[in-house]
Amino acid sequence: LRKPVTVREVAKRAGVAISSVSRVVNDVPTVAADVRERVLAAIHELGWTPNLAAQHMRGISTRMIGFMFPDIRNPLYATMVQGAEDFLIEHGYMVMVASTNGSSERELALLDLFAKRGADGIILTVGDETNPAVIDRIGSGTLPVVLLEREMPTLVNAVGVDHFDGALRATGHLLSLGHRRIALITGGNGNRVARDRVAGVRKAHVAHHVELDPSLIRVQSFATAYAFRETQMLMGLPAAPTAILAFGMHTFPGVLSALRLLGLAVPRDISLIASNDCDLAQLATPAITVIRYDAYALGREAAGLLLRQLSGDVLQDGTRVQLATEFILRESCAPPQHLQENHE
Amino acid sequence: LRKPVTVREVAKRAGVAISSVSRVVNDVPTVAADVRERVLAAIHELGWTPNLAAQHMRGISTRMIGFMFPDIRNPLYATMVQGAEDFLIEHGYMVMVASTNGSSERELALLDLFAKRGADGIILTVGDETNPAVIDRIGSGTLPVVLLEREMPTLVNAVGVDHFDGALRATGHLLSLGHRRIALITGGNGNRVARDRVAGVRKAHVAHHVELDPSLIRVQSFATAYAFRETQMLMGLPAAPTAILAFGMHTFPGVLSALRLLGLAVPRDISLIASNDCDLAQLATPAITVIRYDAYALGREAAGLLLRQLSGDVLQDGTRVQLATEFILRESCAPPQHLQENHE
DNA sequence: TTGTAGGCGTTATCAT
DNA sequence: ATGATAACGCCTACAA
């Protein structure tokens, strides 16, 4: 209700000039002990805090970081936001969020908005890695940027998960069990995540000298409905897969429900590996083998990289932080049926 | 790279005084048509936009809204944020998020931080409705506030879901089927949500002249592990419940997995109603009857109420917007076993 | 070591 | 109708 106190009043109260107050709060060394004390006392008594808008106008950082992603309802993004937010708040930053629905136009508009609002930097997951306008804008270096789970053909730092290794290990496990027809259902076609996963699956096949049937690779959408439909189509194939890699928070429930509907038992009739880990994977019967990664840590890493970038510690030069995955063996994988029968 | 253009340059380019530029952009009516045109042209040519920090220092709104909740990883909060954000961005606002982990101290600190950063208003879900310091701060009216899924004994506007009615209908449905021992497992003890749900369950029992066994009410935590444990304990009771109300995004998976572990079939051995709706409830076999509500709409409503409050359209006077629930009948409820046997 | 004064970019008040 | 100018609150040369 009463108007906020300013440096001027603090200075008067302490009996010094306003520049002395400024020097005290900005830790300028050349200030007499008694002055410092009087100023500090006055600040405390008056409850003064510097006006951020005025500071900002003087070119001082706003200590705000922008966070952009397609949709925060995706628990993966929500978890990353939480990780970044926890880290940033510890360092005196606040985070502004905005969702893009994957639209490049919205991304461009929001990049502008964040800049106009004086954000110190941006963490973002672009919808389309190949959009020239977005690439250009990010590469222009107007605003420090860290890319999350994406890569772009321009100088930008990024953090991501080692999905290649995750897919490699999961596929290798299935191949070792004797599977020869392994389906991959996931989304993000055209993005780094899908590329890495497909590459991992492919590499594992090469290593095991098994040919990979491209018709078993379904990477068009993360939607549950897509996973549900593709599973039914795959299992209806003359040569149906004996194992499924279901990657994506919403992919796995779709696959599981389709298998149930078809009356297929896991792992007897079909083996299953999901990613990321979740309640359902842990609590399903049987519990589902998963590739796990730490989305929270990913968010923290992104924030950390951005802050190091802001401090000039690292440049925006294409540095990439890659987080490892964990392969968690549970009960959803077994040798394919013809091999099981051999043992009976 | 090149420093941003200012009104001064625009004025020079248009051959007018800076005050004329200001008048044009702020739609002051008393301005000659030719001046307006020249100014607009100059603005366009130079690509000028007003400096927000300078405006802010002049006391103009920052058009930023703060959003506080315990943890954005909870998909319910994430969905609310998305709803609010979509609405707010349409109206030229950006949203800053901060999570509190339910701590009242953090809430107080963040309330300060948001205020210092010039947020126009706050949408929040407090962890503890009874914390005097928080009540006081919110009631002080320093910053416009809308409460989400909570209520407080002070003058504050709120939006929430009609959990009372939801619980009433769900419980009524079970009682009509003949159930006489109905358990409630959920969290949020001490908060409006839990209060409403318990009241709804109670009211339904009164309406059906059935006594409610208080030992069947478990409202201590939303954690999956809690739900899992309580389900096992409840089903181990000499007089075990014949139906369970599992309210909470993480409650339901916990209950379901406990029931599976015990080898209990839904709905033959036990009936089950969950809330909110989710993938798992739709895709489980059998599909689970749920109380559904629209968290996205809830977020939008909160943002809408806050904006009306900012425009002076409504006061911060305890207005409450209540969203209805939907009761979605699926296949997880049947008469209790002794009544089923009568029919065989 | 401390104080004075100018300027950041905008809006608003006052003359004209 | 328009132009000059004084704030807004802070930081920082520069002067003392």
Side-chain angles (χ1 to χ4, degrees):
Chain A
L1 288 235
R2 71 177 191 288
K3 58 188 298 194
V5 7
T6 76
V7 270
R8 232 173 298 275
E9 309 172 44
V10 174
K12 190 184 297 175
R13 172 76 156 238
V16 299
I18 55 175
S19 48
S20 288
V21 177
S22 181
R23 276 189 280 266
V24 168
V25 297
N26 292 315
D27 282 324
V28 175
T30 70
V31 55
D34 64 316
V35 171
R36 149 164 279 110
E37 252 175 80
R38 281 189 353 253
V39 168
L40 255 21
I43 288 175
H44 185 75
E45 288 162 25
L46 268 42
W48 172 79
T49 58
N51 178 309
L52 294 179
Q55 287 188 320
H56 182 196
M57 218 178 61
R58 293 281 313 171
I60 271 78
S61 152
T62 57
R63 295 187 94 77
M64 292 195 312
I65 301 292
F67 214 119
M68 274 171 56
F69 35 72
D71 190 326
I72 202 177
R73 279 170 290 193
N74 184 325
L76 244 22
Y77 293 124
T79 304
M80 293 175 197
V81 170
Q82 186 69 45
E85 201 254 322
D86 284 354
F87 182 87
L88 289 171
I89 207 118
E90 288 166 20
H91 291 76
Y93 287 81
M94 302 232 63
V95 6
M96 303 175 56
V97 299
S99 56
T100 63
N101 203 18
S103 146
S104 295
E105 285 145 49
R106 261 177 85 96
E107 284 165 5
L108 286 168
L110 285 170
L111 244 17
D112 272 351
L113 262 181
F114 279 134
K116 228 180 116 52
R117 286 173 176 280
D120 293 330
I122 313 268
I123 299 171
L124 81 169
T125 301
V126 297
D128 175 8
E129 292 181 344
T130 66
N131 184 288
V134 176
I135 293 171
D136 208 57
R137 175 62 70 73
I138 289 176
S140 78
T142 316
L143 210 53
V145 166
V146 167
L147 222 48
L148 206 51
E149 284 279 61
R150 294 287 183 273
E151 74 180 341
M152 290 190 116
T154 184
L155 240 41
V156 57
N157 292 345
V159 305
V161 170
D162 193 349
H163 294 291
F164 173 83
D165 182 65
L168 178 69
R169 283 197 286 167
T171 309
H173 177 68
L174 292 170
L175 288 166
S176 299
L177 286 173
H179 291 274
R180 289 303 173 260
R181 295 187 61 75
I182 302 169
L184 168 65
I185 305 180
T186 187
N189 192 26
N191 280 333
R192 163 102 193 204
V193 175
R195 255 195 320 277
D196 281 0
R197 283 170 166 166
V198 171
V201 170
R202 189 157 285 150
K203 175 77 175 297
H205 279 75
V206 170
H208 281 76
H209 309 291
V210 174
E211 198 159 349
L212 170 58
D213 179 353
S215 74
L216 298 181
I217 304 298
R218 310 289 170 107
V219 295
Q220 294 306 315
S221 163
F222 283 116
T224 299
Y226 173 79
F228 186 82
R229 183 157 40 82
E230 294 302 318
T231 303
Q232 292 192 305
M233 290 173 70
L234 284 165
M235 298 317 291
L237 249 37
T242 60
I244 296 179
L245 300 164
F247 295 164
M249 300 301 294
H250 297 133
T251 300
F252 160 58
V255 171
L256 193 59
S257 60
L259 294 177
R260 289 227 179 110
L261 195 69
L262 294 166
L264 296 171
V266 173
R268 202 200 53 195
D269 302 323
I270 184 143
S271 290
L272 186 56
I273 299 181
S275 176
N276 195 352
D277 201 5
C278 60
D279 271 3
L280 185 55
Q282 294 175 41
L283 299 174
T285 40
I288 308 296
T289 292
V290 298
I291 300 166
R292 208 189 85 82
Y293 60 90
D294 190 343
Y296 183 86
L298 198 66
R300 277 192 87 92
E301 285 297 333
L305 183 56
L306 183 56
L307 255 43
R308 270 176 294 160
Q309 204 169 305
L310 292 182
S311 75
D313 199 3
V314 302
L315 268 35
Q316 183 164 325
D317 59 356
T319 300
R320 183 172 177 91
V321 175
Q322 187 110 320
L323 261 58
T325 60
E326 241 177 305
F327 186 58
I328 302 187
L329 213 49
R330 295 207 264 251
E331 296 122 38
S332 63
C333 297
Q337 219 159 21
H338 66 279
L339 295 184
Q340 292 174 34
E341 285 162 357
N342 286 352
H343 290 288
E344 278 170 27
Chain B
L1 287 238
R2 72 178 191 288
K3 59 188 295 195
V5 8
T6 75
V7 270
R8 231 174 300 275
E9 308 173 44
V10 174
K12 190 183 297 175
R13 173 77 158 235
V16 299
I18 56 173
S19 43
S20 287
V21 177
S22 181
R23 274 189 282 265
V24 169
V25 297
N26 291 314
D27 281 325
V28 175
T30 71
V31 53
D34 65 316
V35 170
R36 149 164 279 113
E37 251 175 82
R38 281 186 355 250
V39 168
L40 255 23
I43 289 175
H44 186 74
E45 288 161 26
L46 268 43
W48 172 79
T49 58
N51 178 309
L52 293 180
Q55 288 188 319
H56 183 196
M57 216 178 63
R58 295 282 314 167
I60 272 78
S61 152
T62 57
R63 296 187 92 79
M64 292 195 315
I65 301 292
F67 214 117
M68 275 171 57
F69 35 74
D71 189 326
I72 202 178
R73 279 168 292 192
N74 184 326
L76 245 22
Y77 292 125
T79 304
M80 292 175 199
V81 170
Q82 186 68 46
E85 201 253 323
D86 284 354
F87 181 87
L88 289 170
I89 206 119
E90 288 167 21
H91 291 77
Y93 286 81
M94 301 233 64
V95 5
M96 303 177 56
V97 299
S99 55
T100 62
N101 204 15
S103 147
S104 295
E105 285 144 50
R106 260 176 87 95
E107 284 164 5
L108 286 168
L110 285 170
L111 245 15
D112 273 351
L113 261 182
F114 279 134
K116 228 179 114 53
R117 284 173 176 280
D120 293 329
I122 312 268
I123 299 171
L124 81 169
T125 302
V126 297
D128 175 7
E129 293 181 344
T130 65
N131 185 288
V134 176
I135 293 171
D136 208 57
R137 175 62 71 73
I138 289 176
S140 76
T142 315
L143 209 52
V145 167
V146 166
L147 221 51
L148 207 50
E149 284 278 61
R150 293 289 183 272
E151 75 181 342
M152 289 192 117
T154 184
L155 240 41
V156 56
N157 293 344
V159 305
V161 170
D162 193 349
H163 295 291
F164 173 82
D165 182 64
L168 178 69
R169 284 197 285 167
T171 310
H173 177 67
L174 292 170
L175 288 166
S176 299
L177 286 173
H179 291 275
R180 289 302 173 259
R181 295 187 62 75
I182 302 168
L184 168 64
I185 306 179
T186 186
N189 192 26
N191 279 333
R192 162 103 192 204
V193 174
R195 257 197 317 279
D196 281 0
R197 283 171 166 165
V198 170
V201 170
R202 190 157 284 150
K203 175 78 176 296
H205 279 76
V206 170
H208 282 76
H209 310 290
V210 174
E211 198 157 349
L212 170 58
D213 179 352
S215 74
L216 299 181
I217 304 297
R218 311 290 171 105
V219 294
Q220 295 308 315
S221 162
F222 282 117
T224 299
Y226 173 79
F228 186 83
R229 183 158 39 82
E230 294 302 318
T231 302
Q232 292 193 306
M233 291 173 69
L234 283 165
M235 298 316 292
L237 250 37
T242 61
I244 296 180
L245 300 164
F247 296 164
M249 300 301 295
H250 298 134
T251 301
F252 160 58
V255 170
L256 194 59
S257 60
L259 293 177
R260 289 228 179 108
L261 195 71
L262 295 166
L264 295 171
V266 174
R268 202 198 54 194
D269 301 324
I270 184 144
S271 290
L272 186 57
I273 299 180
S275 175
N276 196 354
D277 200 6
C278 61
D279 270 4
L280 185 55
Q282 294 174 42
L283 299 174
T285 40
I288 308 297
T289 292
V290 298
I291 298 167
R292 206 188 86 83
Y293 59 90
D294 191 342
Y296 182 86
L298 198 67
R300 278 192 86 92
E301 284 296 332
L305 183 55
L306 184 56
L307 255 42
R308 270 176 292 160
Q309 204 169 306
L310 293 181
S311 74
D313 199 3
V314 301
L315 269 35
Q316 183 164 324
D317 58 357
T319 300
R320 183 172 177 90
V321 174
Q322 187 109 319
L323 261 59
T325 60
E326 241 178 305
F327 186 59
I328 302 186
L329 213 51
R330 295 206 265 250
E331 296 123 37
S332 64
C333 298
Q337 219 159 22
H338 66 279
L339 294 183
Q340 290 174 34
E341 285 162 356
N342 286 351
H343 289 290
E344 280 172 24

